[in-house]
Amino acid sequence: MVGRYRRARRRRGNPNETIQNRIQPPSVALTIAGSDCSAGAGIQADLKTFTALGVYGLTAVTCIVAEVPRKVSRIEPLTATMVREQIKVLLKNFRVGAIKTGLLCSAEIVSAVAEAIQKNERKTARPISLVIDPVMIATSGDNLLGRGAVEAYKYKLFPLATLITPNLDEAALLLETTINDRRPMESAAKALAKKYRASILLKGGHLRGGKAIDLLFHHGKLTEFSAPFLRDVETHGTGCTYSAAITAGLASGLSLEQAIKRAKRFISESIARHFRWKSDSIEIDALNHSI
Ligand code: PXL
């Protein structure tokens, strides 16, 4: 009798089973970054990007930035202990497919992040893809890192990276050189890859010309990713959004090249379909993450 009832219920479907129960849970990505209250950059941009690309986003907050697009007003870091604890509980309880770092604010936080990721690797013997966006200076020109943080990146965090995504200014600072053309871009990408034994995506968005060209140096091979460069759009958070989109791709199982190709398309469309708030006193451009 019971068996017949169960078989009939299986045929009809269980009315107690909700639609949610039948949906496959999505891949999970973690961003370790700062909060931008104007929500164009930082963890807010990362979360919007993860959601748009079908990935469940987790956040470990490193600092809080009071700002609007062209002006950083105040930055307050969290303690390294609090940053470490967020990463620890998240990695313990979720199967995280990929991690990205954004603004890490201080040398102590850079070191804490490196230690937390390394500890998890030792414990689980399962390295998680790590995308490092070495955020150092805001688009507004404001310095975002404390003293000693660049050294902590070089010696502690970069050695753990799957991919590092510097823009031209960041690459120039890391190599103590200037990069003003395509050829120096190639040399810089190769030099950084060799120095930190990681794949490098060097973003040439700041170079003049009709195209926004990025160079990937990965497994000894250079690959170019290019899109039309849009003038007169002042969106901040493009670096955060781009690296978050790459991380979402890696969390979903795409190869590095596939993830970058899709992310480049995503960021180009987010810029092309930007929002603009305009009045007598303000003009604000913002990326459109909801594409
Ligand atoms: O775009 C760089 C960036 C990253 N993360 C946070 C920021 C900014 C720029 O201001 O505030 C939190």
Side-chain angles (χ1 to χ4, degrees):
M1 190 65 188
V2 171
R4 200 178 335 146
Y5 175 69
R6 279 220 189 103
R7 276 197 297 280
R9 195 173 63 173
R10 213 176 289 143
R11 272 198 304 276
R12 272 185 272 119
N14 179 357
N16 294 326
E17 192 183 26
T18 62
I19 287 169
Q20 269 86 355
N21 288 342
R22 274 181 263 136
I23 294 174
Q24 275 289 325
S27 302
V28 176
L30 164 63
T31 171
I32 305 169
S35 163
D36 162 14
C37 62
S38 66
I43 50 167
Q44 288 84 353
D46 295 343
L47 264 190
K48 290 184 218 180
T49 304
F50 290 160
T51 304
L53 293 173
V55 163
Y56 189 85
L58 304 173
T59 60
V61 182
T62 57
C63 60
I64 298 179
V65 185
E67 65 179 319
V68 287
R70 272 181 292 272
K71 184 73 204 137
V72 171
S73 175
R74 190 178 166 88
I75 306 181
E76 279 193 14
L78 268 74
T79 61
T81 308
M82 191 57 199
V83 175
R84 200 181 290 117
E85 195 64 19
Q86 292 174 81
I87 299 169
K88 188 176 138 195
V89 298
L90 291 174
L91 293 183
K92 189 169 168 208
N93 290 283
F94 287 85
R95 192 174 171 86
V96 173
I99 302 174
K100 74 153 270 190
T101 65
L103 177 54
L104 298 183
C105 221
S106 70
E108 291 75 22
I109 294 177
V110 176
S111 303
V113 169
E115 280 157 25
I117 290 173
Q118 249 173 333
K119 208 168 176 180
N120 181 68
E121 255 180 47
R122 277 199 299 272
K123 213 168 83 186
T124 61
R126 186 181 77 89
I128 303 173
S129 298
L130 175 63
V131 177
I132 300 178
D133 182 11
V135 179
M136 295 171 183
I137 301 159
T139 319
S140 56
D142 293 283
N143 185 20
L144 296 169
L145 282 187
R147 202 159 1 113
V150 173
E151 297 307 297
Y153 263 110
K154 287 181 177 174
Y155 296 110
K156 297 189 175 167
L157 198 56
F158 287 162
L160 308 179
T162 307
L163 178 71
I164 309 173
T165 65
N167 60 29
L168 294 179
D169 294 337
E170 290 153 355
L173 196 144
L174 289 168
L175 291 167
E176 294 174 26
T177 183
T178 51
I179 308 165
N180 50 15
D181 214 336
R182 165 69 191 236
R183 268 291 147 80
M185 248 183 103
E186 291 182 12
S187 316
K190 285 182 192 169
L192 287 170
K194 189 167 170 215
K195 203 164 176 183
Y196 299 113
R197 299 228 239 118
S199 299
I200 302 292
L201 180 67
L202 180 53
K203 300 172 291 184
H206 294 189
L207 268 188
R208 282 167 292 280
K211 286 189 166 175
I213 290 174
D214 307 327
L215 290 182
L216 170 69
F217 194 68
H218 174 57
H219 292 335
K221 198 178 99 194
L222 263 180
T223 310
E224 179 182 304
F225 298 86
S226 139
F229 185 81
L230 275 187
R231 280 168 205 293
D232 305 322
V233 183
E234 266 195 68
T235 49
H236 89 146
T238 50
C240 304
T241 301
Y242 193 13
S243 56
I246 297 168
T247 308
L250 295 177
S252 310
L254 299 185
S255 71
L256 189 60
E257 287 94 339
Q258 286 170 332
I260 295 173
K261 197 170 164 207
R262 189 184 67 165
K264 181 77 176 168
R265 210 178 326 123
F266 182 80
I267 186 61
S268 302
E269 286 182 20
S270 304
I271 297 169
R273 300 193 201 171
H274 65 279
F275 301 120
R276 178 166 285 172
W277 289 271
K278 203 170 175 177
S279 71
D280 290 347
S281 56
I282 58 151
E283 182 171 320
I284 294 177
D285 286 343
L287 290 170
N288 180 353
H289 291 92
S290 52
I291 50 168

